[in-house]
Amino acid sequence: MARARARTPLPLRTRAPAPRRPKHRPPALELAARPNPWARAAGLTAVVLLGAWLGLLVVGNVRAPVGPMNTTMTLRPSLTGGTKINVSPLGALRLDSHTAPVRLDVNVDQLDPARSQALVDHPERLSGLQDEVAEDVRHGTLDLAVRSCVAVVAGATALGLAVYRRPRRALAAGGLALALLAASGATAYATWNPKSVLEPRFSGLLSSAPSLVGDARSIVTEFDVYQQELARLVTNVTKLYDVTSTLPAYQPDPTTVRVLHVSDIHLNPASWKIIGSLVEQYKVNVIVDSGDTMDHGSAAENGFLDPVADLGAPYVWVRGNHDSRLTQHYLEGVDNVHVLDDGRAVTLAGLRFAGIGDPQFTPDRSSVPGAGASQEEAGDRLASALRAQAAAGTPVDVAVAHEPSAARRTDGAVPLVLAGHLHHEETEVMKNGTRLRVEGSTGGSGLRAVEGEYPDPIQASILYFDRDTRRLQAWDEIELGGLGLTTAEVSRHLPEENRPGAAPGDTPFPSPSPSPSPSP
């Protein structure tokens, strides 16, 4: 019998016990696992802003009829706010209507033929056009507010869902976008400036159509609330479209005297064409040049002054520090030129002007010891002459000097003093009530314009005076692109005392006493 072999049992395989995981992660690992809360907030903010902007861009606009026009109203993100009215292809009109991170864009798309023809067939409807336009604007703004809310919420929610893939985070982005729009709307409402339309800025071809803003007297008396002001602008744009290929002729108010203020031409021959165009377009009554017409004041430059006789309006001139006595003597012999010096006064178009020449002659732009004292002395002589004129019953309405430091010495002796020299525009009401208006360079700083990286602009102003009171009612600042540029902008400004709602006692300078009827 076979003997059974004893089998050795095989060893059992055992697994090593897995290491036990700690119940709590080390602090360093825990901080590494958590995302930075600032990064999360920044990411969410970026999603909200980008989504809201995309929403406004895609669906956040409203097509609304405004009177006889079809317009598109849109809200756009902006750092400065305001309102922009695009009248393609003529240009744009900008209003500082509010300060908020959103801007209202109004695009005038086209003129509706049927509604326009109805106005032509029934001119009596023009009397109610402003009310109709105001109502259209209110409805369009309300529709725009509702659509903008939907647009920003939808845009932020959709982008949040695409980025985070979590409905809760997407809804949070939409809610934050709605809160942001509501805060922007509240800021716009709190900073709303209904008088901003009184000082619009025009660009493009609109800057060469001053009839769009009306005359100074109409603005002071008729523009009292925002809807009426906006309606008037739209109505005037309608008239502009009515003439299609030609800009409307400017019809100035017969009770307004218009003065063109130029300065610092510095031998720029293009200035005469610009001045002549402004005289014709604005029907200017008087031109005032506050000096530095020349560059070196030499006899060889005198021929440059010959076009002054053909500008179509009386030319009042004072000597600047680049104009010599030789220059002054030459201009005294030019027809239609009135040279003012040592307080001499002249009456033109019902306004009385007096001025003084610059005591310095520095054609090489050198500094002269005691220049400041000589300017103040010249200003004191001018102020003394102004007071003498007032005592004689012939008060001066406008004083003229070249340097602002001389002009400042006339504070309290005249309602308005004009100056130049600085090559940029400034306006201020001085301590004793005299308004100082410093004009920019109507020659774009002349040949020195090529010295800098960017050319200096060509600047001039139209000053509107009431024919009865002889006081400044408004002024238009006109700025053209400098050497090689073809841009244009017109800005309307009103003195504080002429703004709607100003009390009669707000006038900073006492009313002048009546003067005898002057000869033109």
Side-chain angles (χ1 to χ4, degrees):
M1 189 177 222
R3 203 157 154 192
R5 244 187 226 182
R7 293 184 180 180
T8 307
L10 295 175
L12 295 176
R13 293 182 181 179
T14 59
R15 294 183 179 180
R20 296 181 64 184
R21 295 182 181 178
K23 293 183 179 180
H24 300 287
R25 295 182 180 180
L29 293 177
E30 192 171 319
L31 289 176
R34 289 182 183 177
N36 189 330
W38 293 105
R40 291 178 59 185
L44 182 60
T45 302
V47 168
V48 168
L49 293 177
L50 181 59
W53 179 76
L54 290 175
L56 287 175
L57 192 65
V58 176
V59 296
N61 56 67
V62 170
R63 296 186 181 275
V66 177
M69 295 182 180
N70 294 325
T71 68
T72 302
M73 298 182 180
T74 313
L75 286 181
R76 288 283 182 259
S78 171
L79 295 177
T80 57
T83 298
K84 181 180 179 182
I85 302 175
N86 298 301
V87 189
S88 181
L90 301 176
L93 181 153
R94 293 175 176 83
L95 307 173
D96 295 326
S97 57
H98 62 277
T99 303
V102 288
R103 184 186 72 207
L104 174 62
D105 283 3
V106 180
N107 295 317
V108 179
D109 298 329
Q110 64 179 7
L111 199 64
D112 185 89
R115 299 199 298 273
S116 302
Q117 188 62 42
L119 288 177
V120 174
D121 296 339
H122 303 280
E124 67 277 5
R125 295 185 181 179
L126 285 173
S127 60
L129 183 59
Q130 291 194 4
D131 294 335
E132 178 186 342
V133 167
E135 188 66 22
D136 291 341
V137 170
R138 277 192 292 268
H139 283 299
T141 305
L142 180 60
D143 292 345
L144 178 63
V146 174
R147 182 177 284 258
S148 298
C149 289
V150 175
V152 298
V153 171
T157 302
L159 186 62
L161 190 61
V163 171
Y164 297 112
R165 302 183 183 277
R166 294 179 183 177
R168 183 176 296 178
R169 297 292 295 278
L171 291 176
L176 187 57
L178 182 60
L180 180 63
L181 182 63
S184 300
T187 304
Y189 179 80
T191 60
W192 188 253
N193 178 21
K195 297 177 183 177
S196 61
V197 77
L198 297 176
E199 299 184 359
R201 297 189 302 276
F202 293 91
S203 59
L205 288 178
L206 290 184
S207 61
S208 61
S211 62
L212 286 175
V213 296
D215 56 78
R217 192 178 184 87
S218 297
I219 285 181
V220 172
T221 57
E222 297 174 17
F223 280 23
D224 51 355
V225 296
Y226 179 76
Q227 282 82 4
Q228 293 176 356
E229 294 158 352
L230 183 58
R232 182 177 177 86
L233 290 171
V234 176
T235 303
N236 286 327
V237 172
T238 303
K239 296 176 183 178
L240 177 62
Y241 268 83
D242 191 42
V243 296
T244 60
S245 61
T246 351
L247 293 175
Y250 180 48
Q251 300 297 330
D253 189 330
T255 63
T256 302
V257 179
R258 294 159 304 283
V259 175
L260 171 61
H261 184 199
V262 301
S263 190
D264 297 87
I265 292 174
H266 286 289
L267 284 180
N268 187 344
S271 299
W272 300 129
K273 293 288 186 182
I274 294 169
I275 293 172
S277 175
L278 292 173
V279 169
E280 180 180 359
Q281 181 181 349
Y282 284 86
K283 301 295 184 285
V284 167
N285 301 108
V286 181
I287 305 168
V288 174
D289 186 341
S290 49
D292 273 5
T293 313
M294 309 297 249
D295 228 5
H296 298 88
S298 63
E301 296 172 318
N302 285 343
F304 171 77
L305 301 169
D306 292 342
V308 173
D310 301 319
L311 291 177
Y315 199 90
V316 176
W317 183 86
V318 297
R319 187 179 65 252
N321 61 295
H322 283 258
D323 305 315
S324 64
R325 295 278 181 174
L326 185 65
T327 303
Q328 179 166 318
H329 180 68
Y330 185 85
L331 274 173
E332 287 172 343
V334 177
D335 292 340
N336 215 29
V337 175
H338 302 268
V339 175
L340 302 183
D341 198 5
D342 295 322
R344 176 176 176 262
V346 63
T347 301
L348 300 163
L351 296 177
R352 193 158 180 82
F353 300 85
I356 194 166
D358 197 305
Q360 302 292 329
F361 177 52
T362 55
D364 56 354
R365 289 183 271 178
S366 60
S367 59
V368 178
S374 65
Q375 293 292 344
E376 293 179 357
E377 180 184 351
D380 290 338
R381 294 204 311 271
L382 177 58
S384 178
L386 295 173
R387 295 186 180 96
Q389 290 277 347
T394 56
V396 172
D397 305 304
V398 183
V400 189
H402 179 65
E403 285 249 14
S405 56
R408 290 180 185 279
R409 308 295 288 187
T410 66
D411 186 17
V414 67
L416 175 67
V417 60
L418 304 179
H421 186 66
L422 301 182
H423 291 204
H424 65 264
E425 292 178 326
E426 291 183 4
T427 302
E428 68 171 291
V429 177
M430 294 184 286
K431 180 180 179 181
N432 295 319
T434 296
R435 183 179 298 274
L436 170 63
R437 276 279 300 139
V438 180
E439 190 53 74
S441 173
T442 311
S445 300
L447 294 177
R448 73 187 65 180
V450 301
E451 295 177 356
E453 183 178 357
Y454 300 103
D456 292 341
I458 295 172
Q459 296 177 315
S461 297
I462 301 291
L463 313 178
Y464 300 92
F465 292 84
D466 185 278
R467 192 178 293 275
D468 297 328
T469 65
R470 308 192 304 278
R471 288 303 174 84
L472 182 67
Q473 297 294 301
W475 68 91
D476 288 345
E477 293 180 358
I478 300 164
E479 181 172 305
L480 308 176
L483 185 66
L485 301 179
T486 55
T487 59
E489 183 170 302
V490 180
S491 302
R492 167 62 53 91
H493 301 271
L494 287 130
E496 289 295 329
E497 64 270 19
N498 286 345
R499 294 176 179 271
D506 289 348
T507 304
F509 199 87
S511 299
S513 58
S515 59
S517 298
S519 58

